[in-house]
Amino acid sequence: MKQVYVSFASDIIHGGHMNIIKKAAALGEVTAGLMTDEVVLSYFRRPVLSFESRVEIMENIKGISHVIPQKTLSYRDVIRERKPDIVVHGDDWKTGMMKPIREEVIALLAEYGGELVEYPYTYKEEYDRLERKQIEQLSIPDLRRGQLRSLLKIKKTVRIMEAHSGITGLIVEKTCVLKDQKAYQFDGMWVSSLCDSTAKGKPDIELVDMTSRFRTIDDIMEVTSKPIILDGDTGGLIEHFVYNIRTMERIGVSAVIIEDKTGLKKNSLFGVEVEQTQDTIENFCAKIHAGKAALQTNEFMLIARIESLILEKGIEDALRRAFAYVKAGADGIMIHSRKKDPGEIFEFCEKFREKDQTTPLVVVPTSFHAVTEEEFEARGVNIVIYANQLTRSGFPAMKKTAETILLHHRAKEADEMCMSISEILQLIPEEKM
Ligand code: SPV
Ligand code: MG
């Protein structure tokens, strides 16, 4: 009997999948490769069902003889190991992001005379609707909130990008690239105080109040499903913070990061060029303690941000604070620096990890931007936040477009800098009733 291999990602099995399974079973003995959570996350979305449940469903489908995990988006390892006579797939991967994966499959099969059999992809409105429902499910506050914690269990390092509106949220949600047969996406959004303020034309000094920040979060939440980390500035007065943290938790935010400054907060990237005051360890621990006590779930994370390096107080001060904040109940530590050289950040991470191997560590590499995620991962960093790049790239493009129209007294010359209407429709598809 011929050995047939079919790969699956989805946690919803519909008629389209059944069609493929039936056709594959007619060709020989079927092994289903089930993509692991990490692979599905890399190019698609978080599966609603656990890997174990997905395996169980697959094992009980008529026509499937074996189920194995597929640990990469590329079929290379599976094909090299199992040498299936036939790989079956829908023909929808002939174009789009999966095209290079398909080409690699063809080349690998050719090495020993294997064959790729493709069937017309069965597109149905109903399947589309089912998929939309899954995404809607993930965006419900009770499901969204715990997503950051579960991601931290699946991935060593989580990749977060700034969003300050519905459209930037969609860009973070949907952007996906393929490099060396691996797919990459952002895992969630950072609602930055700098970018939220900038979008409103205001300085980053806690002037944009929490009610307004919650409006921004709501705009993002309406159209996305990925977890959200809120830049909570200093958290404000403890008496106010205990109310605000409850709102964050209730609406489905996954984490808030509060920084240990007090008084009029200025953006950290100004460092000691402006007057900024660090809070005492005692006060900030009291804020962490009160915030944690106000929470209703174990899903929401309160992350403490240390400004010692920004304010040039040294690594020892930063470490002393980090251990105190963890003891006070912080679910994670963010260490910040505005130096281009990552030396002090690396030293902090290494020294912190000598004593604490579990508390998640967060970095924001705006200044030390040459460091790769892999280099952070090697030093025990769990969350990398790209805090302002969509804002800093978007507004110069708009300014240039405005200048071009003013110079030419018409829009023609600006057109090549503009997104096409069809691209907008792709990003924001209208729901079919
Ligand atoms: C923000 O994005 O608002 C931050 C990070 O707090 S930083 O601007 O680097 O202080
Ligand atoms: Mg900020």
Side-chain angles (χ1 to χ4, degrees):
M1 225 178 171
K2 289 208 167 176
Q3 289 303 308
V4 183
Y5 184 73
V6 199
S7 168
F8 292 95
S10 187
D11 43 10
I12 33 172
I13 303 292
H14 55 58
H17 300 119
M18 296 315 291
N19 249 340
I20 293 277
I21 294 168
K22 269 187 217 151
K23 283 172 176 160
L27 298 173
E29 188 177 77
V30 176
T31 297
L34 200 56
M35 291 189 189
T36 56
D37 287 354
E38 197 166 356
V39 179
V40 182
L41 262 170
S42 77
Y43 84 106
F44 188 38
R45 60 163 166 78
R46 190 177 77 117
V48 174
L49 298 177
S50 69
F51 183 73
E52 292 69 32
S53 308
R54 292 191 285 129
V55 168
E56 211 181 321
I57 292 171
M58 277 289 160
E59 281 175 344
N60 287 290
I61 291 178
K62 200 172 132 195
I64 293 179
S65 304
H66 314 278
V67 180
I68 59 161
Q70 185 174 322
K71 294 178 184 156
T72 54
L73 189 58
S74 159
Y75 287 48
R76 174 176 290 266
D77 293 346
V78 172
I79 292 181
R80 283 266 158 85
E81 246 167 58
R82 303 184 74 93
K83 298 208 167 13
D85 301 299
I86 300 169
V87 170
V88 168
H89 203 284
D91 65 357
D92 52 318
W93 68 343
K94 284 185 174 171
T95 55
M97 204 194 71
M98 291 293 280
K99 196 174 161 207
I101 301 286
R102 173 182 183 264
E103 282 162 5
E104 187 190 46
V105 166
I106 294 171
L108 288 165
L109 289 170
E111 286 174 8
Y112 61 91
E115 191 190 350
L116 171 66
V117 175
E118 293 169 314
Y119 293 105
Y121 176 70
T122 31
Y123 173 82
K124 270 198 188 152
E125 202 51 51
E126 178 198 340
Y127 304 158
D128 238 27
R129 215 172 11 251
L130 267 173
E131 184 45 43
R132 270 207 310 276
K133 276 260 165 288
Q134 298 298 96
I135 294 178
E136 276 164 22
Q137 276 259 316
L138 291 172
S139 68
I140 289 171
D142 277 347
L143 283 181
R144 194 196 281 246
R145 188 188 305 112
Q147 276 189 51
L148 183 64
R149 275 209 200 264
S150 33
L151 274 173
L152 288 167
K153 287 191 194 119
I154 301 171
K155 298 184 75 174
K156 274 197 186 141
T157 308
V158 170
R159 185 187 299 120
I160 303 290
M161 170 56 101
E162 173 262 311
H164 55 268
S165 59
I167 183 74
T168 48
L170 277 174
I171 289 171
V172 180
E173 174 99 356
K174 293 192 177 182
T175 305
C176 183
V177 298
L178 191 83
K179 191 184 172 205
D180 302 332
Q181 306 297 97
K182 280 189 180 166
Y184 300 91
Q185 289 193 65
F186 292 104
D187 297 302
M189 294 107 189
W190 163 247
V191 181
S192 147
S193 68
L194 173 71
C195 301
D196 204 357
S197 308
T198 304
K200 292 170 171 62
K202 302 247 171 90
D204 181 19
I205 51 170
E206 285 186 286
L207 172 64
V208 177
D209 67 10
M210 267 299 157
T211 308
S212 173
R213 304 288 309 280
F214 287 139
R215 269 274 357 133
T216 305
I217 292 173
D218 194 42
D219 283 343
I220 297 169
M221 283 188 159
E222 286 240 26
V223 294
T224 63
S225 65
K226 289 182 176 176
I228 291 177
I229 303 177
L230 173 64
D231 174 359
D233 285 319
T234 65
L237 295 172
I238 294 184
E239 291 83 346
H240 295 174
F241 183 55
V242 290
Y243 283 91
N244 286 330
I245 197 169
R246 262 188 225 135
T247 309
M248 296 166 202
E249 183 186 40
R250 178 170 46 75
I251 64 177
V253 169
S254 297
V256 64
I257 302 187
I258 53 168
E259 59 193 272
D260 58 359
K261 287 202 298 235
T262 188
L264 179 62
K265 188 222 78 159
K266 304 266 174 69
N267 184 273
S268 299
L269 301 174
F270 288 124
V272 287
E273 286 158 34
V274 294
E275 209 182 303
Q276 308 209 54
T277 320
Q278 199 168 18
D279 206 349
T280 63
I281 295 185
E282 295 69 37
N283 274 346
F284 202 66
C285 284
K287 199 179 278 186
I288 293 167
H289 192 75
K292 284 292 289 180
L295 293 172
Q296 306 296 312
T297 70
N298 291 324
E299 294 172 333
F300 187 90
M301 297 173 76
L302 195 176
I303 299 172
R305 161 172 167 177
I306 295 165
E307 293 285 291
S308 304
L309 304 181
I310 293 286
L311 301 171
E312 300 179 5
K313 302 257 183 76
I315 288 179
E316 286 315 312
D317 184 72
L319 285 165
R320 194 167 43 249
R321 285 171 176 272
F323 297 124
Y325 298 163
V326 172
K327 208 167 157 210
D331 300 299
I333 292 292
M334 173 184 152
I335 183 69
H336 207 16
S337 158
R338 64 177 192 132
K339 292 205 175 124
K340 222 181 166 96
D341 179 347
E344 58 179 16
I345 287 281
F346 286 173
E347 193 183 334
F348 174 92
C349 293
E350 279 153 17
K351 288 196 168 147
F352 182 79
R353 279 284 172 253
E354 275 170 22
K355 282 203 187 160
D356 182 331
Q357 287 84 45
T358 51
T359 304
L361 270 180
V362 185
V363 294
V364 175
T366 303
S367 304
F368 40 101
H369 55 200
V371 184
T372 63
E373 291 156 13
E374 291 73 17
E375 288 171 294
F376 284 126
E377 187 174 307
R379 285 166 179 88
V381 172
N382 308 90
I383 302 180
V384 175
I385 300 179
Y386 298 98
N388 49 45
Q389 284 74 10
L390 294 189
T391 290
R392 284 168 55 221
S393 57
F395 296 123
M398 290 184 215
K399 195 160 168 269
K400 189 154 183 245
T401 305
E403 285 167 356
T404 304
I405 291 175
L406 281 178
L407 283 174
H408 293 90
H409 298 201
R410 64 178 190 182
K412 180 172 179 278
E413 289 73 15
D415 224 47
E416 64 184 35
M417 296 183 248
C418 297
M419 194 178 194
S420 69
I421 300 297
S422 70
E423 274 175 298
I424 292 185
L425 290 179
Q426 243 176 32
L427 202 55
I428 311 173
E430 232 178 272
E431 230 166 271
K432 295 181 189 81
M433 296 298 155

